[in-house]
Amino acid sequence: MRTDSAPRPRGAVGRPAGPQPAKRQAILEAAVAVFLREGYTRASVDVIADEARVSKQTVYNHFGDKQRLFLAAVEGERERVAARFTSGLTPELAPELTPELTPELADEARGEGEPGGEGPADARTALVSFGHRVLQVLLDERASALRRLVISEVARHPSLRPACADGEPQQLVTYLVDLLTHRTARGELSVDDPATVARQFVALLVQQGLHQSMYGTRPLPGHEAAAICERAADLFVRAYRR
């Protein structure tokens, strides 16, 4: 039986001997904690391995080096945020909507009702509801701290630029594309390029949220979050109302 310290065949460096999702997740959780506490430069693979309760070689087997581990940790955080946004998934969705949406989100995108069953929600209401969801998941304490870390480190370590490349989780944009597409089909809006408009709307929410929360260093009061979402929704409805 191979152990972490046993010699590995040539060409196998950086790859685990087989699937080890539990160890990989433990390493990623420990990496986020250590990177946030120590920063990228000071963080060491030894400390990450200790916190994950695995050997240093196991970390290298899964991720190769510290840079790739950091990028994987950022991507893992992006996936965590996306999972929070699309939590409570079920397969009973309208076939024309992305399978990543909950029935409640699907109804909002189609304009067929609000989660509380209060009847049809107009485009503005749906956009405001979407905005609140985006701010809740993107401005949580851990996501904000990791975002600040990436910004502070990328200038000193250009090799970390891929951590900035993908932007916000694609699931958020995908949902909004569906919302805009269906609202256009219903005649409420006129959006020729839903993908571009969705990215612009998310970017407006995120930048305003980051600015007013001082990049997540202060909680965003409910009335401030509401104002951000309502102003953004008003702007886009005026611009794209049919």
Side-chain angles (χ1 to χ4, degrees):
M1 178 180 296
R2 185 182 303 280
T3 65
D4 290 330
S5 59
R8 298 181 61 82
R10 292 187 65 182
V13 175
R15 296 195 301 269
Q20 297 175 300
K23 282 189 177 181
R24 177 183 174 86
Q25 187 58 36
I27 294 167
L28 288 174
E29 289 292 330
V32 170
V34 174
F35 283 130
L36 290 180
R37 186 174 69 236
E38 305 291 342
Y40 177 77
T41 301
R42 293 187 300 276
S44 74
V45 174
D46 295 271
V47 173
I48 292 171
D50 285 345
E51 294 212 7
R53 297 187 178 184
V54 300
S55 72
K56 183 177 179 179
Q57 187 60 49
T58 296
V59 176
Y60 285 125
N61 288 346
H62 280 272
F63 299 100
D65 56 32
K66 189 170 80 168
Q67 175 189 318
R68 280 182 278 182
L69 175 56
F70 182 82
L71 295 177
V74 172
E75 180 58 29
E77 184 63 15
R78 189 175 283 115
E79 292 171 1
R80 183 187 71 85
V81 167
R84 284 193 61 201
F85 181 80
T86 55
S87 60
L89 301 181
T90 64
E92 292 80 23
L93 306 176
E96 71 273 17
L97 291 173
T98 171
E100 295 169 339
L101 304 182
T102 66
E104 291 80 7
L105 294 180
D107 285 346
E108 287 181 39
R110 288 194 305 266
E112 294 181 357
E114 296 179 76
E118 299 296 331
D122 61 18
R124 180 186 183 277
T125 300
L127 287 170
V128 169
S129 177
F130 169 83
H132 279 288
R133 223 176 249 109
V134 168
L135 294 181
Q136 286 168 1
V137 299
L138 292 183
L139 296 182
D140 81 4
E141 185 176 355
R142 181 164 129 167
S144 296
L146 195 57
R147 184 183 292 108
R148 292 193 301 271
L149 177 62
V150 170
I151 292 170
S152 68
E153 296 288 0
V154 73
R156 291 190 293 269
H157 303 280
S159 60
L160 301 181
R161 285 175 184 164
C164 303
D166 292 333
E168 307 307 335
Q170 183 60 34
Q171 287 88 337
L172 279 64
V173 176
T174 298
Y175 168 73
L176 188 52
V177 168
D178 283 326
L179 188 156
L180 296 172
T181 298
H182 286 276
R183 297 304 173 135
T184 296
R186 286 165 53 89
E188 288 183 73
L189 301 175
S190 179
V191 180
D192 293 331
D193 186 357
T196 296
V197 173
R199 287 192 294 270
Q200 291 171 340
F201 188 76
V202 171
L204 178 60
L205 290 169
V206 172
Q207 290 307 312
Q208 287 294 307
L210 290 175
H211 173 71
Q212 291 186 221
S213 69
M214 299 181 182
Y215 276 80
T217 59
R218 63 178 282 265
L220 191 65
H223 70 277
E224 291 186 21
I228 290 170
C229 298
E230 290 167 7
R231 285 196 297 263
D234 287 340
L235 176 65
F236 275 70
V237 168
R238 284 198 300 270
Y240 295 104
R241 181 184 289 120
R242 186 178 292 279

